[in-house]
Amino acid sequence: MGFIHCNLRVLMAERGLNIQKVKDKTSLSRTTISNLYNNNGAGIQFDTLKQLCELLKCQPGDLLVYIDIVPEFKVITEVPNTIIEEETHGVDDEENGHEDVSSIKTDLDIYCKLRYEGNTHDLQFQVEIKYEINENKNMERLNVGISPEFEHQLYELKLPPHAVSYVFDEFDAFLVNWGHDWFNGKEIQGNPNLTINHYDLQK
């Protein structure tokens, strides 16, 4: 798997350039430059790459770097303990309503097999998760408390910041999918507009 990382932010900083200056010196749009600067681009055209290499006096390999990293996550808690909270919706004049799940909280032990630059590392850590759910059974917010030991283990592997961010993004996606699969058809049915918050788990 892995991913392509754009070093435009670093190369611009080394040359004293900002987004406006790059825009003025090329025919590239501010949106294109900003997307590459923030690593939000889905791809890059040859002409864009050519103009940036000419301006920055660099090679394509200086601008785009392949990060060989594959994180695989697994819940190793046999039977997760869950705390479910409910809210009353649809109250009429006679105070009749129905109860809907508003949040699900659980603690999980996580195993991560992390393959990075040809080496495999086995990591384990704990998380505390709270899925906040609206009356349509869609996830609205995911609050994730992560044991500090996980970030410490990544730090010991000397992963660059963008690789660490990628691992956390993949972990977020894993938790969303796990929650959807574990509670699917009962309390959670979708997650069209989801906000994810992280905090350090103090245990």
Side-chain angles (χ1 to χ4, degrees):
M1 199 160 54
F3 66 101
I4 301 293
H5 176 73
C6 182
N7 280 326
L8 183 59
R9 179 189 294 265
V10 173
L11 296 175
M12 284 170 55
E14 291 175 347
R15 291 155 177 78
L17 297 171
N18 57 29
I19 291 176
Q20 185 60 49
K21 288 180 179 178
V22 173
K23 180 179 180 299
D24 292 342
K25 294 174 180 293
T26 65
S27 65
L28 305 177
S29 70
R30 187 178 186 86
T31 299
T32 295
I33 300 165
S34 179
N35 283 340
L36 292 171
Y37 184 88
N38 293 299
N39 270 280
N40 293 330
I44 183 170
Q45 295 183 352
F46 281 155
D47 183 65
T48 299
L49 188 59
K50 171 179 170 291
Q51 289 193 58
L52 290 174
C53 286
E54 289 176 347
L55 174 64
L56 300 170
K57 294 181 171 44
C58 69
Q59 295 297 315
D62 299 321
L63 193 60
L64 301 175
V65 180
Y66 173 70
I67 308 298
D68 181 17
I69 186 168
V70 182
E72 296 178 356
F73 297 97
K74 179 181 179 181
V75 173
I76 56 177
T77 304
E78 291 187 6
V79 182
N81 182 37
T82 58
I83 300 174
I84 297 178
E85 297 179 352
E86 295 182 335
E87 286 184 356
T88 301
H89 297 285
V91 177
D92 57 24
D93 293 339
E94 297 179 357
E95 298 187 352
N96 295 314
H98 60 277
E99 295 290 326
D100 285 323
V101 172
S102 61
S103 71
I104 302 174
K105 186 176 180 180
T106 186
D107 297 330
L108 300 174
D109 292 317
I110 303 292
Y111 166 73
C112 174
K113 176 188 284 187
L114 181 65
R115 294 196 292 272
Y116 177 61
E117 301 296 344
N119 296 312
T120 300
H121 309 276
D122 297 313
L123 312 176
Q124 289 190 28
F125 58 100
Q126 294 180 318
V127 295
E128 175 184 84
I129 310 165
K130 185 176 182 180
Y131 298 95
E132 296 186 19
I133 306 158
N134 63 24
E135 58 186 299
N136 296 318
K137 294 189 176 183
N138 290 323
M139 289 186 208
E140 283 190 324
R141 186 174 292 104
L142 175 58
N143 298 310
V144 186
I146 303 177
S147 171
E149 67 181 303
F150 181 48
E151 191 165 0
H152 178 69
Q153 291 174 74
L154 297 179
Y155 174 80
E156 287 192 326
L157 295 176
K158 295 181 170 49
L159 270 64
H162 46 270
V164 173
S165 295
Y166 176 77
V167 171
F168 276 96
D169 287 345
E170 290 294 296
F171 184 51
D172 287 344
F174 168 80
L175 291 178
V176 170
N177 290 330
W178 180 86
H180 185 271
D181 292 344
W182 189 263
F183 303 107
N184 185 36
K186 295 179 286 185
E187 288 84 15
I188 297 176
Q189 293 185 349
N191 50 278
N193 298 297
L194 180 63
T195 300
I196 300 177
N197 301 312
H198 291 162
Y199 61 91
D200 287 338
L201 180 61
Q202 303 298 329
K203 282 193 175 182

